[in-house]
Amino acid sequence: MERELVVLGTASQAPTRTRNHNGYLLRWGAASMVGSARSASGSMVGSARSASGGLLFDPGEGTQRQMLFAGIAASAVTRICLTHMHGDHCLGVPGVVQRLSLDDVPHPVHAHFPASGQEHFTRLRYATSYRERADLREHPHDRDGVVARDELGTLEVRRLEHPVEAFGYRLVEPDGRRMLPEALARAGITGPRVRELQARGELDGVRLEEVSAPRPGQVFAFVMDTRLCDGVYALADGADMLVIEATFLHEDADLAHAYGHLTAREAAAVAADCGVRTLVLTHFSQRYTEPERFAAEAREVFGGELVVAEDLMRVPVPPRVVVGQPR
């Protein structure tokens, strides 16, 4: 099961020689879901119906080319998730959408975006003439809550605070159970009978709980262009990985707040307060040319795993928490 963040771009409003516009692909493989996880496995609105997902967040200008550099095929994309309709977060949509058709991507691709940006999304989707073959399904949203649920987990949105309507995303994997090989062996349950036990909950007098342990679901959060607000904390709460904007350094906090952005220190403080395991800072202003300054500022308030994103970097989602061990 592969879970990683592929960073396609890290610039904010203006790209630089070393930073492409925004773009992030989350590769999220499905885990075996049993126990309480079964309740989330049905077909719902926006379901990708696949064993693995590729969530493309905020594809800015040049994203299609960055995907080529990163070795990411268009067929890897199962969802497109836009936080808002500023160009550095959506100008890559035309190229990506047309590439889906050019490559005859066989599965549906679900597009999530603020409903207030419907006109903009339509213009992006049909920016030029092309033969539309891909099955692109639009899911505009206008309030906090769940926007999709499938075997990969539940995708939620929370309103952010920016000059235009913006929402952040949170992917929550349902809790499940982890099978214990030694306990299974002692119970004499092997091969296909393990699946039967998972499905039934009990087999030959052996209960599922006796040969398995709780497996907490993982959480991924994506927060872009926003001032500090309740939505930021709700999205980041207990996240295994938080990808969050750090457009400014704290010396320019007044600018950050005026334009609806966060500083590196603010982003790191959110991660510390919310118990985030891996913090990924990105969306940097062109005014800064020394990435280590963002790391130094974040380290003042956050002691967990810290990544200052670079273009084409791959960041693994941290290993799953084992019940009974600290996060």
Side-chain angles (χ1 to χ4, degrees):
M1 180 185 64
E2 182 179 30
R3 291 187 175 177
E4 66 174 358
L5 178 76
V6 183
V7 180
L8 302 172
T10 57
S12 55
Q13 186 176 33
T16 71
R17 290 179 181 272
T18 58
R19 298 176 186 151
N20 196 74
H21 260 173
N22 264 306
Y24 313 87
L25 182 84
L26 176 66
R27 300 170 67 100
W28 190 265
S32 174
M33 296 185 180
V34 298
S36 60
R38 286 197 303 251
S39 62
S41 64
S43 178
M44 298 283 287
V45 173
S47 174
R49 306 299 296 167
S50 62
S52 62
L55 287 77
L56 179 61
F57 292 93
D58 282 4
E61 183 180 352
T63 292
Q64 181 185 185
R65 193 159 187 261
Q66 293 293 95
M67 289 172 64
L68 292 174
F69 286 137
I72 302 296
S75 59
V77 177
T78 57
R79 298 189 187 276
I80 299 172
C81 303
L82 306 183
T83 58
H84 65 293
M85 291 298 177
H86 276 157
D88 53 324
H89 297 260
C90 64
L91 283 176
V93 167
V96 172
V97 166
Q98 293 185 30
R99 189 57 179 264
L100 295 174
S101 287
L102 181 65
D103 289 2
D104 284 325
V105 170
H107 55 258
V109 175
H110 302 274
H112 306 275
F113 54 89
S116 60
Q118 179 67 70
E119 182 179 0
H120 293 299
F121 189 85
T122 301
R123 290 177 178 177
L124 291 166
R125 180 173 182 175
Y126 298 112
T128 67
S129 176
Y130 69 103
R131 185 180 181 189
E132 188 174 21
R133 299 169 60 90
D135 182 5
L136 182 64
R137 304 180 185 182
E138 299 180 13
H139 304 283
H141 50 262
D142 61 2
R143 60 187 64 121
D144 293 355
V146 175
V147 295
R149 184 180 284 119
D150 63 15
E151 64 268 34
L152 302 181
T154 300
L155 185 65
E156 308 170 357
V157 296
R158 292 290 183 275
R159 190 178 297 275
L160 300 175
E161 189 175 314
H162 198 52
V164 301
E165 188 174 47
F167 290 84
Y169 291 85
R170 177 179 169 93
L171 179 61
V172 181
E173 177 189 34
D175 292 340
R177 302 199 69 84
R178 176 173 57 90
M179 305 308 293
L180 303 175
E182 292 183 0
L184 286 168
R186 287 195 300 268
I189 298 176
T190 60
R193 300 180 75 233
V194 175
R195 290 286 187 184
E196 187 178 354
L197 172 62
Q198 291 174 339
R200 294 172 53 181
E202 184 175 350
L203 183 65
D204 297 338
V206 177
R207 291 182 294 110
L208 178 63
E209 292 77 9
E210 297 173 338
V211 292
S212 65
R215 187 214 65 203
Q218 291 192 304
V219 176
F220 171 87
F222 186 81
V223 176
M224 286 292 131
D225 297 26
T226 185
R227 301 180 184 94
L228 286 176
C229 63
D230 291 344
V232 173
Y233 292 94
L235 291 163
D237 185 37
D240 293 275
M241 177 180 284
L242 169 65
V243 179
I244 188 169
E245 68 129 311
T247 309
F248 293 92
L249 291 171
H250 212 69
E251 65 193 39
D252 296 314
D254 289 345
L255 276 177
H257 302 159
Y259 289 103
H261 286 290
L262 298 173
T263 69
R265 183 180 300 168
E266 288 174 331
V270 167
D273 291 344
C274 293
V276 169
R277 299 177 64 202
T278 296
L279 170 64
V280 181
L281 300 180
T282 187
H283 193 270
F284 307 116
S285 168
Q286 64 178 324
R287 70 183 61 228
Y288 308 111
T289 58
E290 300 169 312
E292 59 271 16
R293 296 182 66 193
F294 289 89
E297 185 168 290
R299 277 292 176 220
E300 294 175 4
V301 293
F302 179 71
E305 183 178 353
L306 172 65
V307 177
V308 177
E310 300 176 3
D311 285 25
L312 305 181
M313 173 185 283
R314 292 174 181 262
V315 186
V317 174
R320 188 180 299 281
V321 171
V322 177
V323 173
Q325 293 184 1
R327 287 175 59 86

